[in-house]
Amino acid sequence: VLGFLAIVLSEMRVLGLSVLLLGVGLVITGGSDTLSTFMLGTMLMSIGFHFFYPSNSSIVLMSVSKEETPKVLGLLRGVASFAAVIGTFVVWVFVEGVNLGPVNIPAYGYRTTLFAIGGIIIVGSLFTLRHGQHHNSQRTERKVIFRRDYWLYYLLTFMMGSRRHIFTTFAIFMLVEVYGINVRQTAALFLVNSLVSTYAAPQLGKLVARFGERTVLTANFVGLVGVFLGYAFVPYLPILYALFVLDNIFFTFNLALESYFQKITHSPQEITSNVSMAQTINHISALIVPVLGGILWVQISPSATFLAGVAIAAVSLVLVQFMQTHSTQSPATVPLD
């Protein structure tokens, strides 16, 4: 859908509308009194986010030089991680309240927090839409084109989506189900992930710019083999915590796949449709991996699920060796409006 939207709307407009949809979804969620209204709000919020992510990446890939793209992508992921840290503290303060000496903030609860943050996001979306109106450059004619030449990008996207959902579904599930960590420990673990990523993501972007996508992704998947083996066989909780944080860092390496696509694309006008297709491919794996992984978990053992992750990482490691980024194309920069 996003690829076709980019035919009639600029990426900046799509970005603004996606953030607007996200904010409206949050406000509806906060004001919901029935399950159906709650589901509507969360669905709008989800659609807004999933339109935002590829359109945001497309703007970078279409407007930044190939040499600088990994650094910019890494910086943006660092900013997003810092925002996650801020969001965690905002929710804690406004939902639970704070009473420490002279600091006395009452507990406003979830509804007020969702209303306030949703309103801030809506204001931000209006700024983005207004900013998009200031660009009067000529838009190039767009088409939605998917090519056989991009097969490696599509396949690696599917493999990365598969490893992602083993991490997001089963790694934390193991810590809760098998080792019994509680809600506060889980929240603290995700907070540590965000804090580490705030610093690590920009550094990873610099590594991709310096050593290239193939080298960095090779190191990524070699490391992932070790992480999944640790999940499968290490019973010591502190080490599992460290592996969880390391796994999250490795997940940031997906920025190398985006910069790789920028280098192989035939035309900058094809970027948005193919980045949005990557989002779809990623979610196809989201439909498959939790089901198959759950079957392995129940029918065999939790270790079997993570050994499947080892196989995914090993196949991805082989596929990465086919990456060729010595493109003769000019830098993929085009007007965004």
Side-chain angles (χ1 to χ4, degrees), residues 237-253:
L237 192 56
I239 293 180
L240 291 175
Y241 284 153
L243 291 176
F244 189 82
V245 175
L246 187 60
D247 198 355
N248 182 70
I249 294 174
F250 284 143
F251 177 65
T252 309
F253 276 93

Side-chain angles (χ1 to χ4, degrees), residues 107-257:
Y108 291 102
Y110 285 108
R111 289 186 184 275
T112 302
T113 302
L114 288 170
F115 279 135
I117 296 179
I120 292 172
I121 292 175
I122 290 173
V123 171
S125 72
L126 297 178
F127 173 82
T128 306
L129 289 169
R130 180 182 177 86
H131 179 69
Q133 293 177 343
H134 296 162
H135 295 270
N136 299 316
S137 52
Q138 176 112 15
R139 270 177 57 77
T140 310
E141 182 181 353
R142 303 292 182 88
K143 293 180 181 180
V144 176
I145 298 175
F146 308 111
R147 298 184 184 273
R148 291 182 181 178
D149 291 356
Y150 302 156
W151 69 271
L152 183 58
Y153 171 69
Y154 299 146
L155 189 53
L156 280 172
T157 296
F158 179 80
M159 301 304 291
M160 282 196 164
S162 298
R163 65 79 66 208
R164 172 179 179 264
H165 292 291
I166 289 180
F167 168 64
T168 57
T169 304
F170 295 107
I172 193 64
F173 183 68
M174 177 185 65
L175 293 174
V176 173
E177 177 75 9
V178 178
Y179 295 93
I181 71 172
N182 59 34
V183 174
R184 291 185 181 275
Q185 291 171 313
T186 303
L189 192 56
F190 279 104
L191 179 60
V192 170
N193 272 349
S194 296
L195 286 169
V196 171
S197 295
T198 300
Y199 171 78
Q203 306 309 315
L204 293 178
K206 294 177 182 178
L207 285 177
V208 174
R210 180 176 179 181
F211 296 106
E213 288 80 5
R214 184 168 63 181
T215 300
V216 170
L217 286 175
T218 296
N220 169 60
F221 288 117
V222 169
L224 276 177
V225 169
V227 167
F228 286 136
L229 286 174
Y231 284 153
F233 298 116
V234 175
Y236 188 51
L237 192 56
I239 293 180
L240 291 175
Y241 284 153
L243 291 176
F244 189 82
V245 175
L246 187 60
D247 198 355
N248 182 70
I249 294 174
F250 284 143
F251 177 65
T252 309
F253 276 93
N254 66 353
L255 67 87
L257 190 57

